[in-house]
Amino acid sequence: YAPGAYLNEVAISRELGIGRTPVHLALHRLAKEGMVNVIPRKGVIVRPVSLDEVAQIIEARLVNETYCATLATRRVTRADLEAPKAILSRAQAEIDAGTGVEELMRLDQAFHSWIAKMSGNPILAEFLSNLQDRAARFWFLSLSEGHHPQQVQREHLDLLQAIASKDETQAANMARAHIESFRNTILRVL
């Protein structure tokens, strides 16, 4: 859901085909994680985007994702490269079809999760997963921006090439450039 969207437990229950209790519990957890705001007698709203939060998440990503990409270059095998190639192939098909942002967000997250997994550090991977969840609200905005999905695709392909080539410096540089590109796009959109 987009930042600022109002959420309704009953509508979400119907949409997902599940009871209200799990939806209620999930929204409660999202509120604890700072993803939504619960407004008594009014409902639940996806937390609006804050420039401070965007800056803080980008700073954390710059440090951790560049290091994660470096670790991935050390540990990735040829067989490991099939999964991200499939993810990026599906992403290109989505971009070509122009079908919407939701699937691109899922594929973007899958690509970054693959890199985190390849780092061989489950604690770092868990931290980055949490960071990606928090950044999802921003991805929605950035991936909705005209040319940005194709730019992200090119950056992902460059990053994958650097990892596949086992070039630690290039992988870190590509990860950094990708995050900086995201920063520039989100600041333009906001």
Side-chain angles (χ1 to χ4, degrees), residues 2 8 12 16 18-20 26 32 37 41 50 60 67 70 87 105 107 119 132 146 155 165 169 175 183 185:
N8 178 289
I12 293 171
L16 298 175
I18 60 175
R20 283 186 61 192
K32 285 177 75 174
N37 293 328
R41 294 180 296 284
S50 147
Y67 182 61
T70 300
I87 291 167
M105 286 175 59
L107 292 166
S119 76
Q132 287 173 357
E155 292 165 0
S165 300
T169 302
R183 179 197 325 245
T185 299

Side-chain angles (χ1 to χ4, degrees), residues 116-138:
K117 179 182 175 190
M118 289 301 102
S119 76
N121 184 328
I123 294 171
L124 180 59
E126 182 181 343
F127 174 75
L128 288 174
S129 176
N130 183 9
L131 204 54
Q132 287 173 357
D133 289 344
R134 291 190 66 169
R137 294 174 305 131
F138 316 138

